[in-house]
Amino acid sequence: RLSGPPNPLRAGRRRGPVTGMRAAGSDRMGDPARIGNSVRMEGTAPADAELRPEDFRFVERSDEGSFVLRPSVSYWQDAWRRLRRNRAALLSAALLALVTALCVVGPELTPYGHEALSMTEKNLGPSAAHWFGTDKMGRDLFTRVAVGGRVSLIVALVGALIDILVGLLYGGVAAGLGGAVDNAMMRLADVLSSIPYLVLAVLVSLILGRGMASLLVAMTLTGWCNMAYLVRGQILQIKEQEFVLAARALGTSPWRILWKHLIPNIMGVMIVAVTFDIPLFIFGEAFLSYIGLGIQPPMTSWGALASGAQQQMLFYPWQLFFPTLFISLTMLSFQMLGDGLRDALDPRVRD
């Protein structure tokens, strides 16, 4: 080897950084006091420092107004909130309440009975003594319209209740069991719904006689089929959702799933269906009474009043006007209320 003085540049490149790293490392690893001093020098407050309210200040966000918090409400509370914003539905509900109150307390507002005859006051027009006039037998029309409204509303409400109970039970069982049972039950419903409505009403009136009981049997004997179709379709739509699959995985029985999970989730649809079903019963009762297969004298209904007045409507039109007015207002109110409930109970409409 050739001997000579070492190269200072090469020695500095090799020895300088290594010596510096060791020194720094020895300072970090070995002296805790120096570590604490270095931390304080970087701006961190010591552990025993006290924080005062003056050390804090509020910072306003420029986009704070864009965040709107929605209050936590239940499904039925949200539905009621949306229903209250529908003025047409509220007006319809108020009109239905007024018609119902008239039918309940109306006969008590006049001194005339709905069967009281007065041949000296027949075919009178509306006046202070007889608010709606009198018919061809001298009976007060206001009292008879109120009593007839009781019969029509009772037939409609009882018929709709029978429809929803039978349809809910039949459609729920068919959709819950499924398979061959579902197929057989739906084919039976198809056969019943194919029977003509008027033919069935005539047959029932011949067997049971004419009156309110035969009228209800004729209208509900096959009327529940549409409700069963609706219930079955709704249950088939939701029975494969996650909460139902979770209940099955936990070992819940099919009947408990049906009554605890499926049916409560279609109650909104059922309520809407009932509001649309009641006008059909009102019209059906009026039609059957109009052709003589419904309510028989001396009891009356809106349809029976219209049937008795149609022979004299050219000379005494008010006798036909008031019964048909109440039929139309009641049916229209139920239809508009049903539209409002359908919009309010739809969970997909969230404003």
Side-chain angles (χ1 to χ4, degrees):
R1 294 182 180 177
L2 296 177
S3 61
N7 190 348
L9 296 177
R10 183 181 298 177
R13 284 197 301 266
R14 183 170 60 245
R15 295 179 181 179
V18 173
T19 305
M21 290 176 63
R22 287 178 181 174
S26 62
D27 290 343
R28 293 192 187 99
M29 302 284 296
D31 193 353
R34 293 184 180 181
I35 297 176
N37 294 332
S38 63
V39 171
R40 292 190 186 96
M41 292 177 63
E42 292 178 0
T44 305
D48 56 350
E50 295 182 359
L51 297 178
R52 297 171 299 176
E54 293 79 6
D55 297 332
F56 301 91
R57 63 186 179 88
F58 291 98
V59 178
E60 297 182 358
R61 297 182 57 177
S62 60
D63 57 345
E64 187 175 359
S66 61
F67 293 94
V68 179
L69 298 178
R70 183 183 180 90
S72 177
V73 295
S74 65
Y75 169 74
W76 295 105
Q77 289 175 342
D78 186 63
W80 170 242
R81 179 185 62 84
R82 283 181 286 175
L83 182 63
R84 286 184 300 176
R85 297 172 58 182
N86 193 330
R87 296 183 179 179
L90 293 181
L91 180 61
S92 301
L95 187 58
L96 286 175
L98 181 61
V99 171
T100 304
L102 177 64
C103 295
V104 173
V105 303
E108 308 299 329
L109 301 178
T110 61
Y112 312 103
H114 72 281
E115 300 179 4
L117 304 178
S118 178
M119 300 307 295
T120 59
E121 297 181 339
K122 62 180 182 179
N123 296 326
L124 295 180
S127 61
H130 301 279
W131 297 341
F132 290 174
T134 59
D135 62 2
K136 60 183 179 181
M137 303 296 291
R139 294 171 292 194
D140 183 67
L141 275 181
F142 177 82
T143 306
R144 291 181 64 78
V145 166
V147 174
R150 292 179 182 178
V151 176
S152 297
L153 290 178
I154 289 175
V155 170
L157 294 176
V158 173
L161 181 62
I162 294 175
D163 264 13
I164 191 174
L165 291 179
V166 178
L168 184 63
L169 179 62
Y170 194 89
V173 171
L177 298 180
V181 177
D182 181 22
N183 191 20
M185 294 178 69
M186 287 299 103
R187 298 297 76 77
L188 177 60
D190 292 339
V191 172
L192 291 177
S193 61
S194 64
I195 301 176
Y197 172 72
L198 187 58
V199 174
L200 186 62
V202 173
L203 292 177
V204 172
S205 64
L206 291 176
I207 297 174
L208 301 179
R210 300 176 182 179
M212 184 182 298
S214 62
L215 190 63
L216 283 172
V217 172
M219 290 192 295
T220 58
L221 194 58
T222 60
W224 56 268
C225 295
N226 293 327
M227 192 68 66
Y229 293 144
L230 177 63
V231 172
R232 175 181 176 270
Q234 292 294 322
I235 290 181
L236 289 178
Q237 183 179 357
I238 65 174
K239 69 180 295 186
E240 299 299 333
Q241 294 187 4
E242 288 79 4
F243 68 95
V244 180
L245 297 178
R248 291 177 183 172
L250 293 174
T252 308
S253 64
W255 288 103
R256 184 173 179 83
I257 292 176
L258 178 63
W259 296 108
K260 296 295 183 180
H261 297 283
L262 297 180
I263 291 181
N265 281 278
I266 64 172
M267 290 307 298
V269 179
M270 301 302 298
I271 293 174
V272 175
V274 168
T275 58
F276 285 111
D277 206 20
I278 291 177
L280 297 179
F281 277 96
I282 293 176
F283 181 78
E285 182 277 326
F287 172 71
L288 293 178
S289 298
Y290 188 83
I291 64 177
L293 297 177
I295 305 299
Q296 300 298 311
M299 185 54 67
T300 186
S301 67
W302 287 338
L305 289 174
S307 176
Q310 57 94 17
Q311 298 178 356
Q312 307 181 68
M313 63 179 180
L314 294 179
F315 304 100
Y316 312 108
W318 60 85
Q319 297 181 7
L320 182 63
F321 172 75
F322 289 108
T324 54
L325 175 65
F326 277 86
I327 294 174
S328 303
L329 288 178
T330 306
M331 293 182 62
L332 180 62
S333 298
F334 272 111
Q335 292 283 348
M336 295 177 65
L337 180 60
D339 288 335
L341 288 174
R342 180 178 57 191
D343 296 336
L345 295 175
D346 190 354
R348 294 170 295 182
V349 181
R350 304 277 297 186
D351 51 359

